[in-house]
Amino acid sequence: MSLNMPADTPQRHPAITGYAIRDNCLVIGDTPVTRLASQIGATPFYAHDRSRLDARIELLRHYLPDGVNLNYAVKANPMPAIVQHLSGLVDGFDVASAKEMQTALDTPMPAKRISFAGPGKTPQELDRAVAAGITIAMESETEMRTISAAADRQGLRPRVVIRVNPDFDLKSSGMRMGGGPKQFGVDAERVPQMLGHLAKLDLEFVGFHIFAGSQNLDVQSLCETQIKTADLALALAKHAPAPVRHLNMGGGLGIPYFPKDQPLDLEPIGANLAEVLTRIGSDLPEARVMIELGRFIVGEAGVYVARIIDRKESRGEVFLITDGGLHHQLAASGNFGQVIRRNYPVAIANRMNEAPQETANVVGCLCTPLDLLANKVELPRAEIGDLVVVFQSGAYGLSASPMEFLSHPRPAEILV
Ligand SMILES: *Cc1c(COP(=O)(O)O)cnc(C)c1O
């Protein structure tokens, strides 16, 4: 990481310090952001840096044990160029819709390394998944029957896993996705009975998918969850009609979004996973064990860039009004599941070496007070025409934002 930034600049968030700066301008993928804006010919836009994706995968491979497979959860960023790029770097894709499935199938990734999870898969989607020959994570007995009917009609024997709603959750997570009553997966205590029914159907049972939560920055919680996940998988495997060959242990690794967040230390997580893997290996020797990560892979590789269209003062506060907003970057506005609104790291892309001179609010162009990209941040004095950059925007950005709200045009999204 290049640290060519003076210490007295406002951009001290760990997410920002890793970027290069050239002629006072932030550099993404070896190109200054101002030049990317000229290349695209319009603002706002998303720019993702492929060398940062590569570095992320290298980091994971360095710390995680060799035996663990690394899946990318496509919903974090389904941009086809990114999925294509990652197809050569990860071991599998997790998709959550038929369109994501097609994006994944368009890459060289083998179909059976693509798995499809998520509640409410329609009979049509399941038909397509059976025909595609991917691995299907069944979220209910209803889905199992629908898949079985599709398989009979098509004369195919699909690879299936049961998505388990664990009897524990991932503590201190940004988003809990298991434990307690949930729409995801089959409650762990009901799985043995479902396995009994499955044994009578002509489906190729290969294993389990257990996902407990997301956006976690607590090493101990993550390690405990890995252990509990393995315990649960080993207990459920005793009821399985065939050897477990596929065990998706979830992921949950978070990234630092807010000022007090610290990046995860992967070393203890990798060491814990190595022990867990050894235990699984002795009981389930055929199991291919995988973790699935979304934001940890793509989140820090992307920025959102918007241009300042107006600058005004209102009753003592400065407002930098941009041509972007929550219709493209909902999460940065604090409206994507956050309980307390906190600022994503932001900077003025063309004034990276200038010291903070004022406290400003960065807002979007939508007619709602929710359209706040940064609240009272210290920034250099910014002028009309300058570019605001929102970091940590590579995951749950454009595809997780209400793009149609106010009917502005779709922004460009590029991979540099
Ligand atoms: C969304 C999702 C993920 C990815 O979560 P991140 O926080 O982006 O890593 C992984 N697995 C499942 C089942 C998901 O639904």
Side-chain angles (χ1 to χ4, degrees), residues 72-77 94 96 117-118 139 163 175 177 184 209-211 213-216 248 250-254 257 292-298 395-396:
Y72 172 56
V74 172
K75 83 169 189 288
N77 191 326
D94 289 310
E139 307 260 346
R163 165 96 177 261
M175 211 169 279
M177 298 200 36
F184 310 113
H209 178 188
I210 306 174
F211 179 73
S214 184
Q215 179 47 23
N216 199 297
N248 184 332
L253 309 193
Y257 286 106
E292 49 175 355
L293 300 176
R295 76 185 77 218
F296 195 85
I297 296 175
V298 293
Y396 307 104

PDB file of all heavy atoms in Angstrom, residues 72-77 94 96 117-118 139 163 175 177 184 209-211 213-216 248 250-254 257 292-298 395-396, ligand 1:
ATOM      1  N   TYR A  72     -17.520 -16.479  -3.958  1.00  0.00           N
ATOM      2  CA  TYR A  72     -17.925 -15.071  -4.005  1.00  0.00           C
ATOM      3  C   TYR A  72     -19.449 -15.003  -4.044  1.00  0.00           C
ATOM      4  O   TYR A  72     -20.093 -15.642  -4.889  1.00  0.00           O
ATOM      5  CB  TYR A  72     -17.332 -14.388  -5.250  1.00  0.00           C
ATOM      6  CG  TYR A  72     -17.865 -12.987  -5.467  1.00  0.00           C
ATOM      7  CD1 TYR A  72     -17.763 -12.020  -4.466  1.00  0.00           C
ATOM      8  CD2 TYR A  72     -18.484 -12.626  -6.662  1.00  0.00           C
ATOM      9  CE1 TYR A  72     -18.268 -10.746  -4.643  1.00  0.00           C
ATOM     10  CE2 TYR A  72     -18.989 -11.339  -6.856  1.00  0.00           C
ATOM     11  CZ  TYR A  72     -18.878 -10.405  -5.843  1.00  0.00           C
ATOM     12  OH  TYR A  72     -19.384  -9.146  -6.011  1.00  0.00           O
ATOM     13  N   ALA A  73     -20.029 -14.226  -3.118  1.00  0.00           N
ATOM     14  CA  ALA A  73     -21.489 -14.019  -3.089  1.00  0.00           C
ATOM     15  C   ALA A  73     -21.815 -12.889  -4.069  1.00  0.00           C
ATOM     16  O   ALA A  73     -21.593 -11.710  -3.784  1.00  0.00           O
ATOM     17  CB  ALA A  73     -21.941 -13.664  -1.676  1.00  0.00           C
ATOM     18  N   VAL A  74     -22.349 -13.265  -5.215  1.00  0.00           N
ATOM     19  CA  VAL A  74     -22.517 -12.342  -6.339  1.00  0.00           C
ATOM     20  C   VAL A  74     -23.414 -11.148  -6.001  1.00  0.00           C
ATOM     21  O   VAL A  74     -23.229 -10.056  -6.536  1.00  0.00           O
ATOM     22  CB  VAL A  74     -23.051 -13.110  -7.580  1.00  0.00           C
ATOM     23  CG1 VAL A  74     -23.424 -12.166  -8.709  1.00  0.00           C
ATOM     24  CG2 VAL A  74     -22.005 -14.122  -8.055  1.00  0.00           C
ATOM     25  N   LYS A  75     -24.345 -11.325  -5.075  1.00  0.00           N
ATOM     26  CA  LYS A  75     -25.250 -10.203  -4.795  1.00  0.00           C
ATOM     27  C   LYS A  75     -24.525  -8.976  -4.235  1.00  0.00           C
ATOM     28  O   LYS A  75     -25.032  -7.868  -4.326  1.00  0.00           O
ATOM     29  CB  LYS A  75     -26.399 -10.625  -3.895  1.00  0.00           C
ATOM     30  CG  LYS A  75     -26.116 -10.646  -2.406  1.00  0.00           C
ATOM     31  CD  LYS A  75     -27.449 -10.816  -1.659  1.00  0.00           C
ATOM     32  CE  LYS A  75     -27.315 -10.625  -0.159  1.00  0.00           C
ATOM     33  NZ  LYS A  75     -26.611 -11.738   0.502  1.00  0.00           N
ATOM     34  N   ALA A  76     -23.333  -9.160  -3.672  1.00  0.00           N
ATOM     35  CA  ALA A  76     -22.587  -8.005  -3.161  1.00  0.00           C
ATOM     36  C   ALA A  76     -22.258  -7.031  -4.291  1.00  0.00           C
ATOM     37  O   ALA A  76     -22.289  -5.816  -4.103  1.00  0.00           O
ATOM     38  CB  ALA A  76     -21.306  -8.451  -2.464  1.00  0.00           C
ATOM     39  N   ASN A  77     -21.916  -7.574  -5.453  1.00  0.00           N
ATOM     40  CA  ASN A  77     -21.730  -6.738  -6.647  1.00  0.00           C
ATOM     41  C   ASN A  77     -21.829  -7.615  -7.890  1.00  0.00           C
ATOM     42  O   ASN A  77     -20.894  -8.329  -8.219  1.00  0.00           O
ATOM     43  CB  ASN A  77     -20.391  -6.002  -6.629  1.00  0.00           C
ATOM     44  CG  ASN A  77     -20.341  -4.938  -7.722  1.00  0.00           C
ATOM     45  OD1 ASN A  77     -20.908  -5.121  -8.809  1.00  0.00           O
ATOM     46  ND2 ASN A  77     -19.681  -3.830  -7.451  1.00  0.00           N
ATOM     47  N   ASP A  94     -21.792 -17.906  -5.323  1.00  0.00           N
ATOM     48  CA  ASP A  94     -23.110 -18.072  -4.727  1.00  0.00           C
ATOM     49  C   ASP A  94     -24.022 -17.041  -5.355  1.00  0.00           C
ATOM     50  O   ASP A  94     -23.706 -15.849  -5.346  1.00  0.00           O
ATOM     51  CB  ASP A  94     -23.048 -17.885  -3.209  1.00  0.00           C
ATOM     52  CG  ASP A  94     -22.338 -19.050  -2.554  1.00  0.00           C
ATOM     53  OD1 ASP A  94     -22.705 -20.196  -2.868  1.00  0.00           O
ATOM     54  OD2 ASP A  94     -21.397 -18.817  -1.769  1.00  0.00           O
ATOM     55  N   ALA A  96     -28.181 -15.574  -6.023  1.00  0.00           N
ATOM     56  CA  ALA A  96     -29.434 -15.470  -5.290  1.00  0.00           C
ATOM     57  C   ALA A  96     -30.623 -15.151  -6.197  1.00  0.00           C
ATOM     58  O   ALA A  96     -31.707 -14.835  -5.706  1.00  0.00           O
ATOM     59  CB  ALA A  96     -29.294 -14.416  -4.192  1.00  0.00           C
ATOM     60  N   ALA A 117     -28.868 -19.922  -3.626  1.00  0.00           N
ATOM     61  CA  ALA A 117     -29.582 -19.910  -2.350  1.00  0.00           C
ATOM     62  C   ALA A 117     -30.508 -18.706  -2.326  1.00  0.00           C
ATOM     63  O   ALA A 117     -30.386 -17.808  -3.151  1.00  0.00           O
ATOM     64  CB  ALA A 117     -28.598 -19.847  -1.192  1.00  0.00           C
ATOM     65  N   GLY A 118     -31.405 -18.681  -1.360  1.00  0.00           N
ATOM     66  CA  GLY A 118     -32.293 -17.531  -1.205  1.00  0.00           C
ATOM     67  C   GLY A 118     -33.736 -17.965  -1.122  1.00  0.00           C
ATOM     68  O   GLY A 118     -34.129 -18.930  -1.790  1.00  0.00           O
ATOM     69  N   GLU A 139     -34.345 -24.116   0.510  1.00  0.00           N
ATOM     70  CA  GLU A 139     -34.685 -23.319   1.684  1.00  0.00           C
ATOM     71  C   GLU A 139     -35.915 -23.849   2.402  1.00  0.00           C
ATOM     72  O   GLU A 139     -36.299 -23.305   3.439  1.00  0.00           O
ATOM     73  CB  GLU A 139     -34.937 -21.859   1.263  1.00  0.00           C
ATOM     74  CG  GLU A 139     -33.807 -21.249   0.444  1.00  0.00           C
ATOM     75  CD  GLU A 139     -32.869 -20.360   1.255  1.00  0.00           C
ATOM     76  OE1 GLU A 139     -33.205 -19.992   2.380  1.00  0.00           O
ATOM     77  OE2 GLU A 139     -31.771 -20.063   0.738  1.00  0.00           O
ATOM     78  N   ARG A 163     -30.160 -25.647   2.940  1.00  0.00           N
ATOM     79  CA  ARG A 163     -29.773 -24.421   3.649  1.00  0.00           C
ATOM     80  C   ARG A 163     -30.367 -24.515   5.041  1.00  0.00           C
ATOM     81  O   ARG A 163     -31.587 -24.662   5.204  1.00  0.00           O
ATOM     82  CB  ARG A 163     -30.342 -23.209   2.896  1.00  0.00           C
ATOM     83  CG  ARG A 163     -30.335 -21.906   3.685  1.00  0.00           C
ATOM     84  CD  ARG A 163     -29.137 -21.063   3.369  1.00  0.00           C
ATOM     85  NE  ARG A 163     -29.149 -19.792   4.073  1.00  0.00           N
ATOM     86  CZ  ARG A 163     -29.541 -18.639   3.540  1.00  0.00           C
ATOM     87  NH1 ARG A 163     -29.999 -18.593   2.310  1.00  0.00           N
ATOM     88  NH2 ARG A 163     -29.473 -17.533   4.236  1.00  0.00           N
ATOM     89  N   MET A 175     -25.626  -7.652  10.290  1.00  0.00           N
ATOM     90  CA  MET A 175     -26.867  -8.220   9.779  1.00  0.00           C
ATOM     91  C   MET A 175     -26.946  -9.681  10.200  1.00  0.00           C
ATOM     92  O   MET A 175     -26.070 -10.467   9.873  1.00  0.00           O
ATOM     93  CB  MET A 175     -26.887  -8.115   8.253  1.00  0.00           C
ATOM     94  CG  MET A 175     -28.275  -7.958   7.684  1.00  0.00           C
ATOM     95  SD  MET A 175     -28.219  -7.532   5.937  1.00  0.00           S
ATOM     96  CE  MET A 175     -27.906  -5.768   5.992  1.00  0.00           C
ATOM     97  N   MET A 177     -28.472 -13.293   9.983  1.00  0.00           N
ATOM     98  CA  MET A 177     -29.210 -14.021   8.959  1.00  0.00           C
ATOM     99  C   MET A 177     -29.455 -15.457   9.349  1.00  0.00           C
ATOM    100  O   MET A 177     -29.760 -16.295   8.538  1.00  0.00           O
ATOM    101  CB  MET A 177     -28.492 -13.906   7.616  1.00  0.00           C
ATOM    102  CG  MET A 177     -28.435 -12.454   7.212  1.00  0.00           C
ATOM    103  SD  MET A 177     -28.159 -12.051   5.511  1.00  0.00           S
ATOM    104  CE  MET A 177     -28.999 -13.250   4.578  1.00  0.00           C
ATOM    105  N   PHE A 184     -34.976 -17.613   6.188  1.00  0.00           N
ATOM    106  CA  PHE A 184     -33.878 -18.283   5.478  1.00  0.00           C
ATOM    107  C   PHE A 184     -33.696 -19.710   5.965  1.00  0.00           C
ATOM    108  O   PHE A 184     -33.608 -19.952   7.168  1.00  0.00           O
ATOM    109  CB  PHE A 184     -32.562 -17.527   5.688  1.00  0.00           C
ATOM    110  CG  PHE A 184     -32.667 -16.063   5.411  1.00  0.00           C
ATOM    111  CD1 PHE A 184     -32.545 -15.137   6.432  1.00  0.00           C
ATOM    112  CD2 PHE A 184     -32.914 -15.605   4.125  1.00  0.00           C
ATOM    113  CE1 PHE A 184     -32.656 -13.777   6.180  1.00  0.00           C
ATOM    114  CE2 PHE A 184     -33.027 -14.250   3.858  1.00  0.00           C
ATOM    115  CZ  PHE A 184     -32.901 -13.341   4.892  1.00  0.00           C
ATOM    116  N   HIS A 209     -25.604 -25.931   3.675  1.00  0.00           N
ATOM    117  CA  HIS A 209     -25.224 -24.524   3.575  1.00  0.00           C
ATOM    118  C   HIS A 209     -25.707 -23.863   4.868  1.00  0.00           C
ATOM    119  O   HIS A 209     -26.903 -23.836   5.137  1.00  0.00           O
ATOM    120  CB  HIS A 209     -25.920 -23.913   2.346  1.00  0.00           C
ATOM    121  CG  HIS A 209     -25.648 -22.455   2.149  1.00  0.00           C
ATOM    122  ND1 HIS A 209     -26.304 -21.714   1.198  1.00  0.00           N
ATOM    123  CD2 HIS A 209     -24.816 -21.591   2.762  1.00  0.00           C
ATOM    124  CE1 HIS A 209     -25.873 -20.453   1.241  1.00  0.00           C
ATOM    125  NE2 HIS A 209     -24.977 -20.361   2.184  1.00  0.00           N
ATOM    126  N   ILE A 210     -24.774 -23.372   5.662  1.00  0.00           N
ATOM    127  CA  ILE A 210     -25.129 -22.795   6.963  1.00  0.00           C
ATOM    128  C   ILE A 210     -24.546 -21.385   7.028  1.00  0.00           C
ATOM    129  O   ILE A 210     -23.326 -21.205   7.013  1.00  0.00           O
ATOM    130  CB  ILE A 210     -24.563 -23.654   8.125  1.00  0.00           C
ATOM    131  CG1 ILE A 210     -25.022 -25.113   7.977  1.00  0.00           C
ATOM    132  CG2 ILE A 210     -24.982 -23.079   9.469  1.00  0.00           C
ATOM    133  CD1 ILE A 210     -24.402 -26.085   8.977  1.00  0.00           C
ATOM    134  N   PHE A 211     -25.419 -20.397   7.065  1.00  0.00           N
ATOM    135  CA  PHE A 211     -24.969 -18.995   7.026  1.00  0.00           C
ATOM    136  C   PHE A 211     -25.589 -18.256   8.202  1.00  0.00           C
ATOM    137  O   PHE A 211     -26.803 -18.165   8.319  1.00  0.00           O
ATOM    138  CB  PHE A 211     -25.415 -18.373   5.700  1.00  0.00           C
ATOM    139  CG  PHE A 211     -25.028 -16.924   5.541  1.00  0.00           C
ATOM    140  CD1 PHE A 211     -23.711 -16.566   5.305  1.00  0.00           C
ATOM    141  CD2 PHE A 211     -25.983 -15.921   5.594  1.00  0.00           C
ATOM    142  CE1 PHE A 211     -23.349 -15.230   5.148  1.00  0.00           C
ATOM    143  CE2 PHE A 211     -25.633 -14.584   5.427  1.00  0.00           C
ATOM    144  CZ  PHE A 211     -24.315 -14.242   5.201  1.00  0.00           C
ATOM    145  N   GLY A 213     -24.596 -14.960   9.520  1.00  0.00           N
ATOM    146  CA  GLY A 213     -24.633 -13.499   9.640  1.00  0.00           C
ATOM    147  C   GLY A 213     -23.590 -12.834   8.779  1.00  0.00           C
ATOM    148  O   GLY A 213     -22.806 -13.493   8.101  1.00  0.00           O
ATOM    149  N   SER A 214     -23.570 -11.517   8.832  1.00  0.00           N
ATOM    150  CA  SER A 214     -22.843 -10.731   7.862  1.00  0.00           C
ATOM    151  C   SER A 214     -22.231  -9.490   8.521  1.00  0.00           C
ATOM    152  O   SER A 214     -22.620  -9.119   9.621  1.00  0.00           O
ATOM    153  CB  SER A 214     -23.877 -10.339   6.812  1.00  0.00           C
ATOM    154  OG  SER A 214     -23.324  -9.659   5.774  1.00  0.00           O
ATOM    155  N   GLN A 215     -21.287  -8.851   7.823  1.00  0.00           N
ATOM    156  CA  GLN A 215     -20.656  -7.593   8.288  1.00  0.00           C
ATOM    157  C   GLN A 215     -20.248  -7.687   9.756  1.00  0.00           C
ATOM    158  O   GLN A 215     -20.706  -6.931  10.602  1.00  0.00           O
ATOM    159  CB  GLN A 215     -21.583  -6.393   8.020  1.00  0.00           C
ATOM    160  CG  GLN A 215     -21.075  -5.015   8.457  1.00  0.00           C
ATOM    161  CD  GLN A 215     -19.632  -4.730   8.026  1.00  0.00           C
ATOM    162  OE1 GLN A 215     -19.125  -5.301   7.084  1.00  0.00           O
ATOM    163  NE2 GLN A 215     -18.942  -3.849   8.723  1.00  0.00           N
ATOM    164  N   ASN A 216     -19.355  -8.645  10.038  1.00  0.00           N
ATOM    165  CA  ASN A 216     -18.873  -8.817  11.401  1.00  0.00           C
ATOM    166  C   ASN A 216     -17.400  -8.447  11.492  1.00  0.00           C
ATOM    167  O   ASN A 216     -16.591  -8.870  10.664  1.00  0.00           O
ATOM    168  CB  ASN A 216     -19.092 -10.270  11.833  1.00  0.00           C
ATOM    169  CG  ASN A 216     -19.043 -10.399  13.342  1.00  0.00           C
ATOM    170  OD1 ASN A 216     -18.023 -10.135  13.951  1.00  0.00           O
ATOM    171  ND2 ASN A 216     -20.152 -10.780  13.924  1.00  0.00           N
ATOM    172  N   ASN A 248     -20.951 -25.560   2.922  1.00  0.00           N
ATOM    173  CA  ASN A 248     -20.771 -24.109   2.874  1.00  0.00           C
ATOM    174  C   ASN A 248     -20.969 -23.566   4.289  1.00  0.00           C
ATOM    175  O   ASN A 248     -22.059 -23.646   4.844  1.00  0.00           O
ATOM    176  CB  ASN A 248     -21.773 -23.488   1.903  1.00  0.00           C
ATOM    177  CG  ASN A 248     -21.565 -21.994   1.746  1.00  0.00           C
ATOM    178  OD1 ASN A 248     -21.082 -21.328   2.658  1.00  0.00           O
ATOM    179  ND2 ASN A 248     -21.936 -21.452   0.591  1.00  0.00           N
ATOM    180  N   GLY A 250     -20.737 -20.475   5.381  1.00  0.00           N
ATOM    181  CA  GLY A 250     -21.066 -19.055   5.505  1.00  0.00           C
ATOM    182  C   GLY A 250     -19.807 -18.213   5.490  1.00  0.00           C
ATOM    183  O   GLY A 250     -18.748 -18.660   5.031  1.00  0.00           O
ATOM    184  N   GLY A 251     -19.900 -16.995   5.994  1.00  0.00           N
ATOM    185  CA  GLY A 251     -18.719 -16.128   5.956  1.00  0.00           C
ATOM    186  C   GLY A 251     -18.858 -15.075   7.025  1.00  0.00           C
ATOM    187  O   GLY A 251     -18.562 -15.315   8.183  1.00  0.00           O
ATOM    188  N   GLY A 252     -19.357 -13.937   6.634  1.00  0.00           N
ATOM    189  CA  GLY A 252     -19.640 -12.891   7.613  1.00  0.00           C
ATOM    190  C   GLY A 252     -18.512 -11.908   7.848  1.00  0.00           C
ATOM    191  O   GLY A 252     -18.658 -10.985   8.650  1.00  0.00           O
ATOM    192  N   LEU A 253     -17.362 -12.083   7.175  1.00  0.00           N
ATOM    193  CA  LEU A 253     -16.241 -11.160   7.416  1.00  0.00           C
ATOM    194  C   LEU A 253     -16.622  -9.742   6.990  1.00  0.00           C
ATOM    195  O   LEU A 253     -17.021  -9.513   5.854  1.00  0.00           O
ATOM    196  CB  LEU A 253     -14.985 -11.602   6.643  1.00  0.00           C
ATOM    197  CG  LEU A 253     -14.515 -13.050   6.772  1.00  0.00           C
ATOM    198  CD1 LEU A 253     -13.099 -13.188   6.202  1.00  0.00           C
ATOM    199  CD2 LEU A 253     -14.557 -13.542   8.202  1.00  0.00           C
ATOM    200  N   GLY A 254     -16.477  -8.810   7.917  1.00  0.00           N
ATOM    201  CA  GLY A 254     -16.887  -7.434   7.643  1.00  0.00           C
ATOM    202  C   GLY A 254     -15.726  -6.559   7.186  1.00  0.00           C
ATOM    203  O   GLY A 254     -14.568  -6.964   7.194  1.00  0.00           O
ATOM    204  N   TYR A 257     -16.325   0.428   7.820  1.00  0.00           N
ATOM    205  CA  TYR A 257     -17.021   1.518   7.129  1.00  0.00           C
ATOM    206  C   TYR A 257     -16.868   2.832   7.903  1.00  0.00           C
ATOM    207  O   TYR A 257     -16.749   3.890   7.309  1.00  0.00           O
ATOM    208  CB  TYR A 257     -18.520   1.216   7.021  1.00  0.00           C
ATOM    209  CG  TYR A 257     -18.884   0.151   6.001  1.00  0.00           C
ATOM    210  CD1 TYR A 257     -19.259  -1.121   6.410  1.00  0.00           C
ATOM    211  CD2 TYR A 257     -18.879   0.434   4.641  1.00  0.00           C
ATOM    212  CE1 TYR A 257     -19.620  -2.089   5.474  1.00  0.00           C
ATOM    213  CE2 TYR A 257     -19.228  -0.520   3.706  1.00  0.00           C
ATOM    214  CZ  TYR A 257     -19.603  -1.785   4.126  1.00  0.00           C
ATOM    215  OH  TYR A 257     -19.953  -2.731   3.206  1.00  0.00           O
ATOM    216  N   GLU A 292     -18.193 -18.280   2.047  1.00  0.00           N
ATOM    217  CA  GLU A 292     -18.729 -17.400   0.999  1.00  0.00           C
ATOM    218  C   GLU A 292     -18.618 -15.974   1.472  1.00  0.00           C
ATOM    219  O   GLU A 292     -19.090 -15.620   2.534  1.00  0.00           O
ATOM    220  CB  GLU A 292     -20.185 -17.768   0.703  1.00  0.00           C
ATOM    221  CG  GLU A 292     -21.010 -17.896   1.965  1.00  0.00           C
ATOM    222  CD  GLU A 292     -22.471 -18.145   1.717  1.00  0.00           C
ATOM    223  OE1 GLU A 292     -22.909 -18.136   0.561  1.00  0.00           O
ATOM    224  OE2 GLU A 292     -23.191 -18.351   2.707  1.00  0.00           O
ATOM    225  N   LEU A 293     -17.977 -15.154   0.670  1.00  0.00           N
ATOM    226  CA  LEU A 293     -17.768 -13.761   1.040  1.00  0.00           C
ATOM    227  C   LEU A 293     -18.240 -12.841  -0.072  1.00  0.00           C
ATOM    228  O   LEU A 293     -18.036 -13.122  -1.258  1.00  0.00           O
ATOM    229  CB  LEU A 293     -16.280 -13.502   1.290  1.00  0.00           C
ATOM    230  CG  LEU A 293     -15.634 -14.338   2.401  1.00  0.00           C
ATOM    231  CD1 LEU A 293     -14.150 -14.051   2.464  1.00  0.00           C
ATOM    232  CD2 LEU A 293     -16.297 -14.070   3.740  1.00  0.00           C
ATOM    233  N   GLY A 294     -18.865 -11.765   0.335  1.00  0.00           N
ATOM    234  CA  GLY A 294     -19.290 -10.750  -0.631  1.00  0.00           C
ATOM    235  C   GLY A 294     -18.493  -9.493  -0.419  1.00  0.00           C
ATOM    236  O   GLY A 294     -17.471  -9.245  -1.061  1.00  0.00           O
ATOM    237  N   ARG A 295     -18.941  -8.698   0.561  1.00  0.00           N
ATOM    238  CA  ARG A 295     -18.323  -7.374   0.755  1.00  0.00           C
ATOM    239  C   ARG A 295     -16.838  -7.445   1.079  1.00  0.00           C
ATOM    240  O   ARG A 295     -16.096  -6.522   0.746  1.00  0.00           O
ATOM    241  CB  ARG A 295     -19.086  -6.609   1.835  1.00  0.00           C
ATOM    242  CG  ARG A 295     -18.799  -7.054   3.235  1.00  0.00           C
ATOM    243  CD  ARG A 295     -19.683  -6.342   4.229  1.00  0.00           C
ATOM    244  NE  ARG A 295     -21.021  -6.892   4.233  1.00  0.00           N
ATOM    245  CZ  ARG A 295     -22.125  -6.150   4.370  1.00  0.00           C
ATOM    246  NH1 ARG A 295     -22.043  -4.859   4.484  1.00  0.00           N
ATOM    247  NH2 ARG A 295     -23.300  -6.729   4.390  1.00  0.00           N
ATOM    248  N   PHE A 296     -16.391  -8.527   1.736  1.00  0.00           N
ATOM    249  CA  PHE A 296     -14.973  -8.574   2.078  1.00  0.00           C
ATOM    250  C   PHE A 296     -14.103  -8.589   0.821  1.00  0.00           C
ATOM    251  O   PHE A 296     -12.984  -8.100   0.814  1.00  0.00           O
ATOM    252  CB  PHE A 296     -14.658  -9.790   2.961  1.00  0.00           C
ATOM    253  CG  PHE A 296     -13.307  -9.688   3.615  1.00  0.00           C
ATOM    254  CD1 PHE A 296     -13.148  -9.003   4.809  1.00  0.00           C
ATOM    255  CD2 PHE A 296     -12.190 -10.232   3.010  1.00  0.00           C
ATOM    256  CE1 PHE A 296     -11.901  -8.866   5.402  1.00  0.00           C
ATOM    257  CE2 PHE A 296     -10.937 -10.102   3.592  1.00  0.00           C
ATOM    258  CZ  PHE A 296     -10.793  -9.420   4.788  1.00  0.00           C
ATOM    259  N   ILE A 297     -14.638  -9.165  -0.253  1.00  0.00           N
ATOM    260  CA  ILE A 297     -13.876  -9.239  -1.504  1.00  0.00           C
ATOM    261  C   ILE A 297     -13.990  -7.945  -2.313  1.00  0.00           C
ATOM    262  O   ILE A 297     -12.987  -7.410  -2.781  1.00  0.00           O
ATOM    263  CB  ILE A 297     -14.342 -10.457  -2.340  1.00  0.00           C
ATOM    264  CG1 ILE A 297     -14.019 -11.757  -1.583  1.00  0.00           C
ATOM    265  CG2 ILE A 297     -13.695 -10.462  -3.725  1.00  0.00           C
ATOM    266  CD1 ILE A 297     -14.549 -13.026  -2.244  1.00  0.00           C
ATOM    267  N   VAL A 298     -15.201  -7.436  -2.455  1.00  0.00           N
ATOM    268  CA  VAL A 298     -15.395  -6.300  -3.375  1.00  0.00           C
ATOM    269  C   VAL A 298     -15.582  -4.935  -2.703  1.00  0.00           C
ATOM    270  O   VAL A 298     -15.412  -3.901  -3.350  1.00  0.00           O
ATOM    271  CB  VAL A 298     -16.609  -6.542  -4.317  1.00  0.00           C
ATOM    272  CG1 VAL A 298     -16.338  -7.687  -5.275  1.00  0.00           C
ATOM    273  CG2 VAL A 298     -17.891  -6.800  -3.512  1.00  0.00           C
ATOM    274  N   ALA A 395     -19.397  -2.800  -2.576  1.00  0.00           N
ATOM    275  CA  ALA A 395     -20.434  -3.810  -2.313  1.00  0.00           C
ATOM    276  C   ALA A 395     -21.750  -3.142  -1.953  1.00  0.00           C
ATOM    277  O   ALA A 395     -21.756  -2.100  -1.300  1.00  0.00           O
ATOM    278  CB  ALA A 395     -20.004  -4.713  -1.155  1.00  0.00           C
ATOM    279  N   TYR A 396     -22.854  -3.754  -2.378  1.00  0.00           N
ATOM    280  CA  TYR A 396     -24.192  -3.247  -2.070  1.00  0.00           C
ATOM    281  C   TYR A 396     -24.312  -1.768  -2.445  1.00  0.00           C
ATOM    282  O   TYR A 396     -24.827  -0.957  -1.680  1.00  0.00           O
ATOM    283  CB  TYR A 396     -24.544  -3.508  -0.588  1.00  0.00           C
ATOM    284  CG  TYR A 396     -24.351  -4.956  -0.232  1.00  0.00           C
ATOM    285  CD1 TYR A 396     -23.256  -5.388   0.510  1.00  0.00           C
ATOM    286  CD2 TYR A 396     -25.234  -5.916  -0.733  1.00  0.00           C
ATOM    287  CE1 TYR A 396     -23.046  -6.737   0.772  1.00  0.00           C
ATOM    288  CE2 TYR A 396     -25.035  -7.264  -0.471  1.00  0.00           C
ATOM    289  CZ  TYR A 396     -23.939  -7.660   0.277  1.00  0.00           C
ATOM    290  OH  TYR A 396     -23.729  -8.988   0.527  1.00  0.00           O
TER     291      TYR A 396
HETATM  292  C1  LIG B   1     -25.558 -11.835   1.222  1.00  0.00           C
HETATM  293  C2  LIG B   1     -25.007 -13.151   1.508  1.00  0.00           C
HETATM  294  C3  LIG B   1     -23.615 -13.324   1.608  1.00  0.00           C
HETATM  295  C4  LIG B   1     -22.632 -12.202   1.482  1.00  0.00           C
HETATM  296  O1  LIG B   1     -22.579 -11.395   2.614  1.00  0.00           O
HETATM  297  P1  LIG B   1     -21.387 -10.329   2.768  1.00  0.00           P
HETATM  298  O2  LIG B   1     -21.679  -9.608   4.022  1.00  0.00           O
HETATM  299  O3  LIG B   1     -21.431  -9.436   1.573  1.00  0.00           O
HETATM  300  O4  LIG B   1     -20.116 -11.099   2.821  1.00  0.00           O
HETATM  301  C5  LIG B   1     -23.145 -14.592   1.809  1.00  0.00           C
HETATM  302  N1  LIG B   1     -23.981 -15.639   1.910  1.00  0.00           N
HETATM  303  C6  LIG B   1     -25.325 -15.518   1.834  1.00  0.00           C
HETATM  304  C7  LIG B   1     -26.182 -16.699   1.959  1.00  0.00           C
HETATM  305  C8  LIG B   1     -25.877 -14.272   1.635  1.00  0.00           C
HETATM  306  O5  LIG B   1     -27.201 -14.143   1.570  1.00  0.00           O
END
